[in-house]
Amino acid sequence: MRTQIQRRLLPIGAVSVVALALIGSSANAASTPRGSHNLPHATGQQLTPFGTVRANALGGPPGNPDGGVDDPTSADQQYFQARSAPGIVAPGAYSAAIGQLKSMDTAGGDWRQVTNKPYNSDDPIYRDYDSNSSAGSGNVTGRITGLAADNEGHVYAGAANGGVWRSSVGGGSWTPISDKLPAESTGDLELDARGDLWYATGEANTASDTFTGSGVYVLRDPEHHTFSTHDRVGGTELESTSIRKLRIIGGTAWAATTRGVWTHSATNLSGPWKLAFAPNPAYLPGGSLAADPSAIYKNIVNDVAADPKDPSKVVLAVGWRSGDTYNGFYTRQNGVWTRITTSLGDLPTAAANVGAVTFARSKDGSKYYAINQDPTLITSPKSTLGGIYVSNSGSPLGPWTLVATSAKLEASGSAETGATYNPGVQAWYNQFLQVDPNDPRHLYAGLEEVYESHDAGATWQTVGPYWNFTFACWSIDPTEQSGTCSQTTHSDQHAVAIGSYKGKSFVYVGNDGGAYKRPVKGSVDTLGHATDWQSLNDGTINVLQYYSVGVGKDTKSGGFDVSGGLQDNGQSILRPSEPVMGSNFGGDGGDTLVDPANGCNIAEEYTNLAMWVTNDCGANVSTDPSTATEYSVPPNDGVTGNARFIAPFTADAKNPNTWVAGGEHVAVQTKGYAIRSTSDWTDVYDLGSGNVATAVAASGGTIYAAWCGGGCNGPGFSRGIAVGKADGTGWHQLNLPVNGVVPNRYLSGLEIDPHNANHVYLAVNGFSRKWTEGPGAGVGHIFESWNGGVTWCDISKNLPDVPANSVRILPEGSLVLATDLAVFYRGAHSSEWKVLGENLPTNATLQVKIGPDGRIYAATHGRGIWSLAAPHGWDGH
């Protein structure tokens, strides 16, 4: 949840339905038991239960919960690579896939939401040195990237990949209102002067799991209605792109996107969007340089601002966060968009120093504020923040005055009272600004934490600290809950709005843990921390972003425990006897393995194969870290970081104590959940320098390991499958020619027939050659081999052309396939695919597993975990 030590978030891509991923360089992980470190106050370090273990283990500097440098040069290592390799994806792929999906039949019954309880990150059951319990975030959900609020208690929250939700009680008691749309990824939400709600899809936060969208939608009477496809403004112009900001200036709507800035009438919603400006049009789809690997970074517009006294004077904040020669501020001169090179005061104009930018204007027009991230600091372990600025003329043309730097924000109090983080260390990912509509000098700023200024930036308070662990009021004692500390927000801020409910004004913030609110004129303690934050993540807004799912029998109740790894919200565990879900591991959560016979035996991945194991559900409530019962057990690639951000591991289908993990090597251990050390792993095969596993499967000692190489995208992209035995014998690479039956794309899932190890299925990510620029993109998404991978057959048949993620064989021989749009089913005696079940939200399902209860479990990356009764014996006809 809170540490995010290894989340390397990088570029964005012009891909359909997909992430813009980027995850940077890997740090080292240790193989020590979790919780074996000293108390943070005893050592004087600014490290905390989970932060202590993870930050130190990964080699990060003391006091930096992020654990080290965010390195954008090591780009495209997860979602973007998987969905675009071996090149880039052209616009239209997503709409075409949706069209195919609508024509398909449905099989099976209704999906049931499993994660339907509040997710309490402070659950005292898991108050130990390996979780974030007592950090102060309370109930959490997935990342909220858009917020809007009116003065009648209506609040609208847009999730990173979970759609738009409405509250009519000032926050909480949420209802989804965009489930009929083909995209659930939020870029921005805005209420216009008429009260209409504008929904810009496609998240542009350049995260490891950021999905593109399908355009802009406008909902009349959002207090009562829900979005439909008929609410889209324009045509396909903004499909397969991301929209960072939507600004309504006068009668014009401006969309700042990853493919330039576009405009549309804000009153007449018919007709297409028009491209107003793209700094490098040759790199746009259809341009002469569209296939260049750098094309996705060449036309990024971050925000739009206009002079309130003369709305024709528009300023664009343009540029890629890691720096480019086109970065800077642009305005129209003699009808031509021109980069500003003259002085704007303290706000830099040199291309090298302008990165991700957010503007905010006071309601009375007297002031403009801006956050600027400096690309020259992108690898700094301290901060990438250029600064926070104010224009006291009210014009975005300045002159601008610097009012806050990272050092100033951190020094807003002592080490005990001020920020608990290096402010702006992820300013390329975390930004918001909001001016109090009743006071132009009252400002909220969001970076990793929430800051407040009452004097136009002259002084600041950290009203939403990163967490409570570093403060004297904190206590790990579960009887004291969070000690005497007040609740804070989750970290990593993305969205903000101000609205009223029952005559009282509130500020709403959205971050990696969901939505929170406090009175606009709230109270603070003597340390400058807010005392009145309220979590709005009451369990009715389930936008949890799962990478994985695991299910095991609950030995107490006879029911079933459900676990899963989450983006920046650790590992969740849902037990039948508990009123809430708890978080038994903190940080990011990756792949998951759960003992079907005992749901308290859990193996979880932080990132990059940094694996941990527990035999008591992680419920080691103790104030003595030496009694930890969770153990750090990474294979060698988990120590060196030579593995994918979310790297694969699994248990042998016939020998559950034999585990297989895939990094640069294929590693095996045979102690099951009794594993205690890195030394219990054996590297049985080297996939080759620069190659890393993308999927692994094992049955009866036979292992298949899919991998990618050559940077896993671009001109050097390569992929393959290695096959061998768990004892290290018989290893060989399969012959997969670039233009063979198996496409030259990212190989995302493997499944072995339990009755015949030579019978194997392969799921392939990305889009087919109709949409993909790159050699050998091929066609199809699911393939079958009966001879150990010597030859393959494409069994995709009528499947939509959409990235496939995970495949499973049901007991009677039918198949379940998880994709970025839906879960599909093929009967054992059929060649046709059908949509599996009703009621599953349109979302990316990253993993499917069969639980010991016989149900199918789907881990969606934005709408939680769902389950469905498996159609035993049904052939699909």
Side-chain angles (χ1 to χ4, degrees):
M1 182 185 76
R2 304 285 273 178
T3 57
Q4 315 149 57
I5 295 163
Q6 187 100 350
R7 190 189 44 218
R8 301 290 180 246
L9 310 168
L10 296 180
I12 29 193
V15 291
S16 303
V17 165
V18 304
L20 315 170
L22 324 166
I23 307 148
S25 62
S26 303
N28 292 331
S31 56
T32 55
R34 295 172 82 147
S36 63
H37 298 273
N38 294 325
L39 286 165
H41 290 296
T43 63
Q45 293 182 350
Q46 234 180 340
L47 297 171
T48 62
F50 201 30
T52 303
V53 175
R54 294 280 171 112
N56 284 352
L58 293 173
N64 180 2
D66 200 43
V69 174
D70 292 298
D71 180 8
T73 63
S74 191
D76 306 339
Q77 290 186 3
Q78 196 71 36
Y79 285 82
F80 174 60
Q81 286 179 342
R83 288 154 177 81
S84 63
I88 62 172
V89 178
Y94 188 69
S95 290
I98 287 285
Q100 291 175 278
L101 178 69
K102 290 180 178 179
S103 67
M104 298 179 69
D105 293 332
T106 302
D110 291 338
W111 287 94
R112 182 182 71 195
Q113 184 175 335
V114 176
T115 49
N116 56 3
K117 295 180 180 180
Y119 181 24
N120 183 6
S121 68
D122 284 330
D123 189 345
I125 293 175
Y126 307 102
R127 179 106 359 124
D128 60 42
Y129 281 82
D130 303 311
S131 77
N132 286 320
S133 181
S134 76
S137 296
N139 289 344
V140 296
T141 190
R143 187 165 67 248
I144 296 297
T145 52
L147 283 167
D150 64 17
N151 291 320
E152 298 176 356
H154 301 107
V155 184
Y156 306 95
N161 198 38
V164 182
W165 298 69
R166 175 178 60 219
S167 171
S168 299
V169 293
S173 299
W174 302 93
T175 300
I177 62 172
S178 65
D179 280 0
K180 295 179 181 178
L181 298 184
E184 293 286 299
S185 176
T186 301
D188 198 9
L189 283 174
E190 295 289 340
L191 282 167
D192 66 17
R194 298 185 303 270
D196 297 340
L197 182 63
W198 291 66
Y199 178 33
T201 65
E203 184 191 357
N205 279 328
T206 61
S208 63
D209 54 350
T210 299
F211 286 73
T212 57
S214 59
V216 175
Y217 300 83
V218 175
L219 180 61
R220 310 282 193 187
D221 190 17
E223 299 95 331
H224 305 98
H225 294 163
T226 60
F227 284 100
S228 76
T229 54
H230 301 293
D231 295 319
R232 186 164 77 170
V233 179
T236 61
E237 308 86 52
L238 300 184
E239 275 194 8
S240 301
T241 189
S242 292
I243 302 172
R244 189 172 186 269
K245 288 294 179 184
L246 187 68
R247 300 292 190 184
I248 300 172
I249 301 171
T252 301
W254 296 74
T257 83
T258 52
R259 293 180 183 165
V261 63
W262 298 68
T263 61
H264 197 286
S265 170
T267 55
N268 180 1
L269 303 184
S270 62
W273 287 84
K274 296 179 180 179
L275 179 62
F277 174 65
N280 297 291
Y283 290 93
L284 292 174
S288 60
L289 296 175
D292 189 292
S294 65
I296 55 177
Y297 317 117
K298 290 295 187 179
N299 287 288
I300 296 172
V301 178
N302 292 296
D303 207 347
V304 181
D307 190 325
K309 301 180 182 64
D310 184 357
S312 67
K313 294 180 179 178
V314 175
V315 174
L316 309 178
V318 176
W320 165 228
R321 69 169 201 204
S322 293
D324 204 319
T325 56
Y326 76 94
N327 284 29
F329 298 99
Y330 288 71
T331 190
R332 278 181 292 209
Q333 297 180 6
N334 300 319
V336 178
W337 289 99
T338 305
R339 188 163 68 84
I340 299 172
T341 56
T342 55
S343 175
L344 292 175
D346 292 340
L347 189 66
T349 58
N353 301 112
V354 180
V357 172
T358 298
F359 290 120
R361 182 176 70 87
S362 64
K363 186 175 181 180
D364 68 359
S366 66
K367 294 183 184 299
Y368 242 111
Y369 295 90
I371 293 177
N372 176 52
Q373 167 258 326
D374 189 335
T376 65
L377 303 175
I378 197 69
T379 59
S380 168
K382 184 69 176 176
S383 180
T384 68
L385 178 67
I388 301 177
Y389 304 80
V390 63
S391 170
N392 289 310
S393 70
S395 170
L397 292 171
W400 292 86
T401 301
L402 178 66
V403 293
T405 62
S406 178
K408 182 175 181 178
L409 293 173
E410 193 161 25
S412 58
S414 67
E416 170 68 20
T417 63
T420 63
Y421 203 76
N422 297 324
V425 71
Q426 292 183 162
W428 41 264
Y429 175 63
N430 306 314
Q431 284 191 23
F432 74 55
L433 277 175
Q434 177 69 48
V435 187
D436 183 342
N438 297 313
D439 183 355
R441 295 172 58 81
H442 185 198
L443 176 70
Y444 278 93
L447 294 168
E448 295 70 44
E449 303 169 284
V450 182
Y451 306 94
E452 183 179 19
S453 174
H454 291 274
D455 50 17
T459 60
W460 296 86
Q461 291 176 313
T462 310
V463 292
Y466 193 87
W467 50 25
N468 286 328
F469 291 139
T470 58
F471 305 129
C473 58
W474 173 80
S475 172
I476 197 173
D477 187 340
T479 64
E480 296 186 23
Q481 297 298 311
S482 294
T484 57
C485 295
S486 300
Q487 181 177 20
T488 184
T489 71
H490 193 287
S491 58
D492 292 354
Q493 312 304 319
H494 302 292
V496 63
I498 287 179
S500 298
Y501 179 55
K502 293 185 177 180
K504 189 172 184 178
S505 295
F506 294 91
V507 59
Y508 299 87
V509 300
N511 47 52
D512 275 14
Y516 296 77
K517 77 173 183 181
R518 70 182 291 248
V520 169
K521 295 183 178 179
S523 62
V524 297
D525 60 21
T526 57
L527 306 179
H529 306 150
T531 63
D532 43 16
W533 284 112
Q534 178 184 347
S535 170
L536 303 178
N537 312 305
D538 56 6
T540 62
I541 180 169
N542 183 6
V543 294
L544 292 166
Q545 296 170 274
Y546 281 96
Y547 292 111
S548 60
V549 60
V551 185
K553 183 174 289 186
D554 186 273
T555 56
K556 290 184 178 180
S557 69
F560 296 91
D561 302 329
V562 180
S563 294
L566 289 147
Q567 189 278 326
D568 209 18
N569 280 292
Q571 182 91 359
S572 72
I573 181 166
L574 176 64
R575 307 193 71 186
S577 59
E578 300 300 331
V580 298
M581 285 195 297
S583 179
N584 52 2
F585 294 97
D588 280 291
D591 210 346
T592 301
L593 194 59
V594 175
D595 184 351
N598 183 350
C600 277
N601 288 332
I602 304 168
E604 68 94 33
E605 174 189 23
Y606 172 53
T607 62
N608 305 86
L609 283 184
M611 294 172 60
W612 300 78
V613 69
T614 178
N615 304 123
D616 62 1
C617 282
N620 175 42
V621 179
S622 173
T623 58
D624 181 0
S626 67
T627 64
T629 56
E630 293 82 49
Y631 298 90
S632 175
V633 293
N636 289 323
D637 285 333
V639 176
T640 64
N642 292 332
R644 300 283 284 172
F645 183 67
I646 305 299
F649 63 91
T650 190
D652 189 294
K654 293 185 176 180
N655 304 312
N657 285 331
T658 297
W659 294 3
V660 179
E664 184 174 312
H665 301 84
V666 179
V668 173
Q669 69 96 359
T670 57
K671 293 186 177 182
Y673 295 95
I675 184 174
R676 291 294 181 266
S677 170
T678 291
S679 62
D680 291 331
W681 290 93
T682 301
D683 289 347
V684 297
Y685 186 69
D686 187 343
L687 293 172
S689 178
N691 298 335
V692 285
T694 58
V696 293
S699 181
T702 297
I703 300 171
Y704 291 79
W707 54 267
C708 67
C712 291
N713 199 4
F717 174 78
S718 59
R719 55 78 176 103
I721 301 175
V723 183
K725 296 293 184 180
D727 62 6
T729 63
W731 279 93
H732 61 282
Q733 292 281 354
L734 299 180
N735 180 24
L736 296 180
V738 170
N739 290 299
V741 174
V742 174
N744 187 43
R745 305 201 309 268
Y746 183 95
L747 309 181
S748 52
L750 287 162
E751 179 79 335
I752 304 172
D753 185 341
H755 305 294
N756 179 1
N758 285 322
H759 183 203
V760 61
Y761 293 95
L762 170 68
V764 179
N765 212 278
F767 289 90
S768 294
R769 62 187 176 210
K770 179 179 180 181
W771 308 105
T772 303
E773 297 281 349
V779 296
H781 292 277
I782 179 73
F783 297 82
E784 181 180 23
S785 174
W786 284 91
N787 52 17
V790 176
T791 59
W792 295 87
C793 177
D794 183 357
I795 59 170
S796 305
K797 194 78 173 178
N798 62 318
L799 272 175
D801 186 0
V802 65
N805 301 310
S806 174
V807 58
R808 289 290 179 266
I809 303 174
L810 296 182
E812 82 283 3
S814 56
L815 294 178
V816 175
L817 181 69
T819 75
D820 275 5
L821 278 184
V823 178
F824 298 96
Y825 174 87
R826 193 191 79 164
H829 305 290
S830 175
S831 61
E832 297 288 327
W833 292 89
K834 297 185 178 183
V835 178
L836 180 60
E838 303 275 2
N839 300 330
L840 186 68
T842 301
N843 204 273
T845 298
L846 299 188
Q847 193 175 83
V848 284
K849 287 185 179 177
I850 313 302
D853 54 356
R855 296 182 68 86
I856 302 168
Y857 286 81
T860 76
H861 199 70
R863 292 298 291 269
I865 295 172
W866 297 67
S867 76
L868 176 78
H872 296 292
W874 186 66
D875 67 3
H877 288 293

